[in-house]
Structures are given as C-alpha cells and as structure tokens.
Amino acid sequence: LQCIMYGPQSRERIQTNTTVGPQYRGLLELVLSSIPITLPCLVFLYINGVMLFTLRSKPVLRETCRYILLYNLLFADDLQLTLSQLLYLLTFRIRLTYPVCGVLIMFSYLLKDISPLTLVVMSLERYVAVCYPLRHSTVVTSRNTAAAIIVIWAFSSLNVLARLVLLLDFPFENLQTLQMTAICTPQAMLLNPVSEQYDKVYHYFLFVSAGVTVIASFIGVTIAATSASTDKASAHKARKTLLLHLFQLGLSLLSTLYGPLFIAISAVVDRIRALHMQTALYVVVVMLPRCLSALIYGIRDNTIRPILMYYLCCQRKFSVVLKEAEV
C-alpha cells in the first residue's frame, strides 16, 4: 500500500531496507558472538605478552635455562592462540579456499607441537637438576638449551613437511572449485585415508612419548628424594613442577580433540546450540591450555612473581617487593 501511495522511489527504498536488514542482523550476530571469545583472548594475550617481556627484563631470567625454555613455551602458545583466534573469526562466517586453509592449518601444526615437546625438555631439566645436581651446570647450559629449542622447532617442522607432502598428493585438479564447503579445521584438511592414518599415528607417538618421559622424570625425582644426599625442598618442588607439566601435557592433548568433538556435536544438535557449544569448547579446550603457563609459572615462581606483578598491575605498589627480590 505504501508503494502504491508514494510511487517508485518508495518501493526502491523499502526494497533496500529489506535487503540491508538481514545483512545488518548478520553483522550484529557476528559481532555479538565474537565478543565473548575475543575479549578473553585479548586479556590472555596481554598477560602472556607481559610474561614474555618479564622473562627478558632481567639478566637472571634471560640466562637461566628453565626460563629460556619457558619463554619458548609462552612464545609458541601466544602465536598459536593468535592463529586459533584468527581461524575462529574467519571460519565463523567465511568459507576459505583450500590453499588459504592449508597454509593456516600448517602453521597451526607447526606451533601446536612446540608445547608438548618443550614440556618434555623442561621435565628432563628438572630431573637432571635433582638427580644429578653436580652435573647440572655442565649439562644444562645456555648453548645446550638453544640446541634443544632448535631441535624442537626442527622436529615440528618435519611433521609439517610430511603433512604437506600428503596434502599435495590429493588431486585438487579434479575439484570443480577450490572453495571449501566445510569449516577450515585440521580435520577438513585430512583429504585422504593416508593423511588420517598419519595424523593418528603421529599424535599417539607424540603424546605417549611425552607422557612416558614426564612420568619417568617424576618417578626418578621421587626416588631421588629418598636419598640422604638430595635436597628435600628442591626435590619436593621439582615433583610439583613435573605434576604441572603432566597436567599441561594433558591439556595439550585435549586441545587436539577440539575438531572431532565439534564435528560430533554438530551432527546431533541444531545450529544455534552447536555454535554455543563451539564457543564453550574453544574457550576450555583451545584457549585455556594456552594461557595457563603464564599464570602457573608467574604465580609459583618466586623470582618471576614480583617482576611480573610489577609490570602487570601497579608498578608503584610492587616496586618495594621488586627491589627486595633483586637483592
């Protein structure tokens, strides 16, 4: 009736409004659904960033081997968290192409394996510190630590190279379009049975080996604690640290289950519930494990804690504590 009364211009204006309405609602839905994920991610990135700055702020932190390994762990976690957030926001409304998704997923594979491998080296460092205290200063040096970090990144890079070779073996030329019909996830890039089998075998090998190493280190430290020549306080602290390493390793393993869990949930619930459960899974399974390292070590370590609080909260309030820690 309004179109008849006011003519063609009114009809065009009403059609434009009906077109803009759904687009605006879609944009509003995207913004509102992204806020609960983006804000915690920014907070965690800020805390991790302050922790990284803290680890480079004092010579004692820059030169101690366990803090160098911790820096490597946090650096990889920060990059992984940033990439995961980017993938989450991109795949929420956009269907990527196979090449773009492949590049992002390969970077994700590179960064994801750094955490469990670094935890293994950190566990071995604590084992040597308690069980072989006289040889610790000669075995665990800055040079050996740097070599271990290079080996960690090289091992993770070899995994990416193997996955890339398997991915390029897929006949993409037979596809009508390179546009993906599914969300860009690691599972979506397992395009042939060989890739799926390699993914399972690699993760089984990685986490079983890492778990056995951490548990063996814990047992070795526990046995060494019964010796009269062992520092009881140091052994007790090392056992607690190794238990935390094992807990972090379990969280890293849990993060690999994010894709399969979301796919299984999406198959049995409606779209709205699936999106809500995806958000919860992302926070608990992907985001939280990448942020616990800074909180755990920042709170537990007596050397890091006053410096971290100095930079993180109020510099004036913790300046006295920081001076006491330096003394």
Side-chain angles (χ1 to χ4, degrees):
L1 181 61
Q2 290 179 353
C3 295
I4 297 174
M5 292 176 60
Y6 297 106
Q9 294 181 352
S10 297
R11 285 197 298 270
E12 293 178 1
R13 190 159 49 247
I14 292 173
Q15 291 175 356
T16 302
N17 291 337
T18 57
T19 303
V20 173
Q23 295 179 353
Y24 176 76
R25 287 195 297 271
L27 179 61
L28 182 62
E29 179 186 358
L30 175 62
V31 172
L32 292 178
S33 60
S34 301
I35 288 176
I37 297 296
T38 304
L39 287 181
C41 180
L42 293 176
V43 172
F44 288 141
L45 284 175
Y46 170 73
I47 295 174
N48 283 4
V50 174
M51 185 70 172
L52 288 173
F53 179 78
T54 301
L55 290 172
R56 304 301 297 174
S57 62
K58 301 295 178 182
V60 65
L61 300 178
R62 292 195 300 266
E63 299 168 3
T64 305
C65 294
R66 68 175 182 271
Y67 296 137
I68 297 174
L69 291 170
L70 177 59
Y71 185 92
N72 183 65
L73 177 66
L74 291 174
F75 178 73
D77 283 348
D78 266 9
L79 292 180
Q80 175 66 17
L81 183 59
T82 303
L83 183 59
S84 298
Q85 184 66 18
L86 177 63
L87 273 172
Y88 182 88
L89 294 177
L90 284 178
T91 58
F92 192 84
R93 299 288 294 183
I94 302 174
R95 290 294 182 265
L96 302 179
T97 61
Y98 280 103
V100 175
C101 180
V103 170
L104 294 175
I105 294 301
M106 290 305 156
F107 274 113
S108 176
Y109 279 130
L110 173 66
L111 299 170
K112 184 170 60 176
D113 296 339
I114 301 299
S115 292
L117 293 173
T118 305
L119 289 172
V120 168
V121 178
M122 294 174 74
S123 299
L124 293 175
E125 186 272 333
R126 287 293 85 196
Y127 172 78
V128 174
V130 174
C131 298
Y132 303 97
L134 299 179
R135 300 176 59 185
H136 180 265
S137 59
T138 57
V139 174
V140 184
T141 62
S142 298
R143 183 176 180 178
N144 291 342
T145 303
I149 292 174
I150 292 173
V151 170
I152 289 172
W153 285 88
F155 184 85
S156 185
S157 300
L158 288 176
N159 170 51
V160 172
L161 181 61
R163 292 179 182 275
L164 185 61
V165 171
L166 294 174
L167 182 62
L168 294 178
D169 190 52
F170 183 79
F172 288 100
E173 63 274 7
N174 296 337
L175 298 177
Q176 295 181 351
T177 177
L178 292 178
Q179 192 76 26
M180 298 182 66
T181 57
I183 295 176
C184 179
T185 61
Q187 285 68 36
M189 299 306 296
L190 300 177
L191 300 177
N192 52 58
V194 179
S195 297
E196 294 181 5
Q197 191 66 23
Y198 173 82
D199 184 71
K200 292 178 181 179
V201 171
Y202 176 80
H203 279 112
Y204 289 156
F205 170 77
L206 176 64
F207 285 101
V208 169
S209 302
V212 168
T213 303
V214 176
I215 292 173
S217 300
F218 176 80
I219 295 174
V221 169
T222 303
I223 295 174
T226 60
S227 174
S229 59
T230 304
D231 185 358
K232 306 298 182 182
S234 176
H236 178 69
K237 187 175 181 180
R239 278 187 294 177
K240 292 175 63 177
T241 302
L242 289 171
L243 284 176
L244 287 174
H245 289 344
L246 192 61
F247 175 69
Q248 289 176 280
L249 188 63
L251 290 177
S252 297
L253 175 60
L254 187 63
S255 66
T256 63
L257 303 177
Y258 168 72
L261 284 174
F262 176 65
I263 292 173
I265 291 172
S266 301
V268 296
V269 300
D270 58 78
R271 178 178 176 272
I272 301 300
R273 290 183 180 179
L275 290 176
H276 291 164
M277 298 191 73
Q278 180 192 17
T279 302
L281 279 175
Y282 179 79
V283 172
V284 175
V285 176
V286 177
M287 187 181 296
L288 188 60
R290 304 296 173 187
C291 307
L292 283 180
S293 298
L295 297 176
I296 290 174
Y297 290 98
I299 294 174
R300 287 186 69 247
D301 196 286
N302 294 328
T303 304
I304 297 178
R305 183 171 61 247
I307 306 175
L308 176 64
M309 297 304 294
Y310 175 80
Y311 290 117
L312 190 60
C313 298
C314 180
Q315 296 185 5
R316 293 182 180 178
K317 182 177 180 179
F318 290 94
S319 58
V320 176
V321 180
L322 179 60
K323 292 179 181 178
E324 293 177 355
E326 290 177 344
V327 174

